[in-house]
Amino acid sequence: MSRLKESIRKWVLKNAIDHDGKAVVGAIIPKLIGENKELKNKVKELIPLIKEEVEKVNKMSIDDQIKELKDLAPELLEKKEQQLLPDLPHGKEVRMAFLPEPSKHLHIGHAKACIMNYYYARKYNGKFFIRFEDSNPEKAKLEFYDSILEDLKWLGVDWDEVHYISDYFDVMLEDIKGLIERDKAYVCTCDVETIREGRRLKKACPCRSNTKEENLKRYERMLEGKYSEGEAIVRLKIDMAHKNAAMRDPAIARIILTPHPRTGSKYKVYPLYDFATAYMNGVEKLTHRIRSKEFELKKELQDYIHDLFGIKKPFIFEIGRFNLEGKIASGRQIRELVESGEVSSWDDPRLTTLKAYKRRGFQPQAIFNFILQTGLSKAEAHVSEDVLAAENRKIIDPIAKRYFFVHDPVTLELTNIPENYEVEVPLHPDKNLGVKTYAIKNGDKVLIERRDYINGKTVRLKDLMNIEIKGKTGKYIGNEIIKDMSKIHWVLDSKKVKVVVVMPDASELEGYAEEYVLDLKVDDVIQFERFGFVRVDDMGEVIRFYFAHK
Ligand SMILES: [Zn+2]
């Protein structure tokens, strides 16, 4: 290859890899000129050469493109990874964590938070923890602890230890007492309205000037359950005139009488989120936290709490919110939909929970790769589910067996069939995954899609034969593959099997598949040709599939 050609090839590959496998001619020219100024005057001659390479490269799979670029110009690939997943400042020991609240099943946004922390923890040979942030007994539910660990296992994440904030209630409550003794906190018995007004007007309430002894007495009474909910809280004594409202003597503990799923009614007083999360950073000695930008305003308060206990502040990297276009992504919205019954369950195909993606046939490695691709961007990202689908396709296309499914059938009677007409068709075009055999005789009926039916047209029944459609018959006219003849899918009427495909919008498509789907088992992911990839959900009387993507 000439030097110029190699240079073109390299930039075309790079451009294709950066744009979902499709390079564009216009983007290559500035790169070439950037490398060699003399080419400026030769743009006209360059264009056909670039076009030729773009055409070739765009036909390759992204994997092959990456493979080739790795040989040709590995520095271009590394650069991309560095931008997306930059090196974080770190010392010898790295300790990171994923912090789910056990109040919902994980969705794709949680997966992002988890995978990013996990990725760096492993990259730096550090420790990785799962911390259940279950300080609020009104939200934590037993079912979610196990479910979250199950989802993480499915995702391929492994951890060194699992921690529960609820295991630390005793020490936290003891340390809150210590803060009162140090005059860093006090018990406030004002009503909510008074507290809110005080914050707004930057005015201290009378409790702030109570003696330590009085505060300790009140705190004992809180612990003993002598107050009802809302009657007393513990507040940090910071600064009622602070410019950040979150710092105006925030609450760190309150009374909740709802039993906790792990500790029952043992405690009446619970630490609040900011206190508990900062405290745990000290227990776990976290060195880094990659988290969503939404927590920005909490940083000052959490750092204040770190300082109170001499906790080394973890390095915080804030990433932008991450949305899948057109999908309900927030955990709160998802929970509301499930609880109100608007969606059937946590794995409803409309949701972005990991359980929903699993049910649709998405592979954990695809989700993992997809998340890494989105990187540590600070900007709010709106990513199409198609990008995730492209990752999944890379994994399942090479292993998914091929079958036919007809949703809206028209029946044709086959005529003019030669004697003993039999064909054998591989279940996968490239891999040896078994075969389907068809024996066809005159008078057999096939179902084809209504949209494929054009009276008078000749078509190829894929893998089987060419026919001429005439009214309700399909006349055999040969079996050689003819270029430009449309290839359509079909199902033999006498051997059809009734199936249902649940679509991503939860609608159900009924139709017929060929008999070979009876050999499938639950969780198999297959392709219905010219329709899309689906996962087997139920092998009952009517076989049910969930649609993944095209
Ligand atoms: Zn007060």
Side-chain angles (χ1 to χ4, degrees):
M1 215 188 297
S2 76
R3 195 112 161 251
L4 176 62
K5 229 173 164 189
E6 196 176 297
S7 198
I8 292 174
R9 181 81 177 181
K10 164 180 96 178
W11 288 113
V12 170
L13 285 165
K14 161 85 174 144
N15 187 250
I17 292 162
D18 288 350
H19 297 94
D20 239 343
K22 301 285 173 240
V24 289
V25 177
I28 313 304
I29 297 163
K31 297 287 182 196
L32 289 170
I33 294 173
E35 265 185 347
N36 180 357
K37 296 273 176 286
E38 283 161 33
L39 292 174
K40 220 172 177 174
N41 307 318
K42 294 189 181 159
V43 172
K44 243 191 198 154
E45 290 119 82
L46 283 175
I47 288 177
L49 296 175
I50 299 173
K51 257 189 187 155
E52 196 186 321
E53 293 306 319
V54 166
E55 256 169 49
K56 282 190 218 156
V57 166
N58 285 359
K59 279 186 194 140
M60 298 163 63
S61 71
I62 291 200
D63 281 343
D64 288 340
Q65 291 168 352
I66 292 173
K67 228 184 270 162
E68 191 182 326
L69 189 60
K70 226 177 219 163
D71 291 336
L72 207 58
E75 69 282 1
L76 293 184
L77 273 178
E78 281 159 18
K79 206 167 154 201
K80 185 173 179 194
E81 195 178 326
Q82 264 171 26
Q83 284 162 356
L84 284 172
L85 299 165
D87 226 350
L88 300 180
H90 67 280
K92 241 193 215 146
E93 204 189 16
V94 168
R95 300 166 71 91
M96 298 176 75
F98 172 55
L99 284 44
E101 182 182 53
S103 62
K104 43 193 164 299
H105 294 287
L106 300 184
H107 60 69
I108 196 92
H110 298 123
K112 168 133 192 176
C114 176
I115 288 172
M116 284 305 166
N117 282 288
Y118 175 72
Y119 169 83
Y120 280 100
R122 292 295 178 245
K123 178 174 175 176
Y124 299 136
N125 296 315
K127 288 253 187 290
F128 182 70
F129 310 117
I130 307 298
R131 177 204 301 170
F132 282 109
E133 301 228 294
D134 59 352
S135 58
N136 185 350
E138 288 170 335
K139 285 171 88 186
K141 287 207 172 69
L142 215 45
E143 61 177 299
F144 296 116
Y145 292 91
D146 285 343
S147 143
I148 287 171
L149 293 181
E150 248 170 52
D151 282 350
L152 293 177
K153 264 186 214 154
W154 176 75
L155 205 51
V157 168
D158 60 315
W159 50 84
D160 295 292
E161 283 164 32
V162 179
H163 300 150
Y164 302 83
I165 286 184
S166 51
D167 282 345
Y168 294 84
F169 284 158
D170 274 333
V171 280
M172 286 188 194
L173 293 176
E174 192 56 31
D175 276 341
I176 287 172
K177 185 176 170 191
L179 290 178
I180 296 172
E181 282 165 350
R182 285 159 63 194
D183 201 26
K184 297 288 185 191
Y186 60 98
V187 175
C188 171
T189 54
C190 300
D191 59 73
V192 184
E193 195 48 43
T194 310
I195 294 171
R196 192 181 301 137
E197 273 299 286
R199 283 228 171 85
R200 197 172 65 81
L201 302 169
K202 305 182 177 177
K203 216 179 113 224
C205 74
C207 319
R208 198 178 208 266
S209 41
N210 281 339
T211 61
K212 238 187 282 181
E213 289 67 32
E214 172 64 18
N215 281 319
L216 285 171
K217 215 182 327 164
R218 285 176 161 198
Y219 186 57
E220 276 316 310
R221 296 187 55 196
M222 280 179 82
L223 296 177
E224 285 162 10
K226 301 241 167 83
Y227 293 102
S228 335
E229 286 187 18
E231 278 184 354
I233 55 172
V234 181
R235 299 176 71 177
L236 284 178
K237 198 182 262 189
I238 307 180
D239 179 1
M240 282 306 286
H242 203 286
K243 59 182 191 312
N244 178 354
M247 297 292 280
R248 291 174 201 154
D249 290 12
I252 53 168
R254 61 173 169 162
I255 294 162
I256 300 176
L257 300 177
T258 308
H260 188 282
R262 290 187 78 240
T263 58
S265 298
K266 184 175 176 197
Y267 303 97
K268 310 276 185 285
V269 178
Y270 292 89
L272 277 145
Y273 169 77
D274 289 299
F275 179 86
T277 201
Y279 190 97
M280 287 303 290
N281 291 345
V283 170
E284 289 159 352
K285 298 191 179 65
L286 291 193
T287 56
H288 298 71
R289 292 269 304 110
I290 297 171
R291 66 181 184 191
S292 163
K293 242 198 324 262
E294 308 156 281
F295 294 99
E296 221 166 10
L297 291 172
K298 302 283 200 174
K299 186 169 185 306
E300 191 170 12
L301 171 56
Q302 290 176 13
D303 275 346
Y304 181 91
I305 296 164
H306 290 141
D307 285 342
L308 280 178
F309 294 104
I311 295 167
K312 196 158 178 261
K313 295 178 193 98
F315 173 84
I316 305 271
F317 194 100
E318 272 160 352
I319 51 179
R321 267 182 75 103
F322 165 72
N323 304 304
L324 280 183
E325 274 163 10
K327 285 285 199 170
I328 302 153
S330 107
R332 186 180 48 77
Q333 281 172 312
I334 291 174
R335 189 173 49 205
E336 281 167 11
L337 286 171
V338 175
E339 280 169 3
S340 69
E342 210 161 311
V343 300
S344 58
S345 57
W346 289 93
D347 58 6
D348 185 286
R350 284 165 288 186
L351 302 180
T352 57
T353 54
L354 296 183
K355 290 191 159 48
Y357 282 119
K358 181 180 174 189
R359 194 161 195 192
R360 287 172 58 192
F362 281 77
Q363 305 299 300
Q365 192 59 44
I367 292 176
F368 211 98
N369 295 346
F370 167 69
I371 296 288
L372 286 183
Q373 248 187 61
T374 63
L376 286 189
S377 165
K378 296 218 180 228
E380 184 162 335
H382 298 271
V383 188
S384 162
E385 196 177 77
D386 294 346
V387 182
L388 173 56
E391 284 300 322
N392 200 49
R393 197 176 298 113
K394 279 187 216 165
I395 295 172
I396 61 178
D397 186 50
I399 51 171
K401 292 176 182 170
R402 269 58 169 173
Y403 299 91
F404 291 147
F405 161 70
V406 174
H407 156 57
D408 181 18
V410 172
T411 308
L412 294 179
E413 186 180 329
L414 297 177
T415 61
N416 196 35
I417 307 295
E419 289 269 319
N420 302 323
Y421 193 84
E422 267 188 56
V423 268
E424 194 177 88
V425 182
L427 279 162
H428 191 280
D430 319 315
K431 294 242 164 67
N432 188 7
L433 301 178
V435 292
K436 305 181 279 191
T437 54
Y438 305 108
I440 308 289
K441 56 185 193 311
N442 245 340
D444 277 345
K445 291 185 179 124
V446 288
L447 311 180
I448 65 168
E449 289 289 355
R450 194 171 301 279
R451 66 183 151 84
D452 288 332
Y453 177 90
I454 301 174
N455 198 9
K457 200 178 174 195
T458 51
V459 294
R460 176 165 182 77
L461 296 178
K462 190 169 183 297
D463 304 326
L464 187 69
M465 62 177 71
N466 306 330
I467 58 166
E468 183 184 3
I469 300 176
K470 257 195 184 157
K472 290 187 171 168
T473 63
K475 183 183 168 198
Y476 173 87
I477 53 164
N479 188 24
E480 65 281 22
I481 294 168
I482 296 167
K483 214 183 150 211
D484 298 331
M485 185 186 280
S486 24
K487 264 189 237 165
I488 66 172
H489 57 284
W490 53 276
V491 169
L492 197 59
D493 186 52
S494 60
K495 297 194 167 170
K496 67 184 182 219
V497 174
K498 197 163 182 196
V499 303
V500 167
V501 182
V502 180
M503 302 303 289
D505 65 0
S507 65
E508 299 191 354
L509 278 190
E510 286 185 13
Y512 297 98
E514 51 185 327
E515 53 169 331
Y516 287 98
V517 298
L518 292 170
D519 300 336
L520 296 171
K521 52 189 195 311
V522 170
D523 282 337
D524 282 348
V525 176
I526 60 153
Q527 186 186 39
F528 280 138
E529 294 198 60
R530 299 180 74 225
F531 178 76
F533 292 93
V534 296
R535 176 189 150 272
V536 183
D537 192 64
D538 185 10
M539 286 299 291
E541 204 161 308
V542 175
I543 303 177
R544 286 172 76 82
F545 297 91
Y546 269 62
F547 186 84
H549 48 76
K550 289 222 180 259

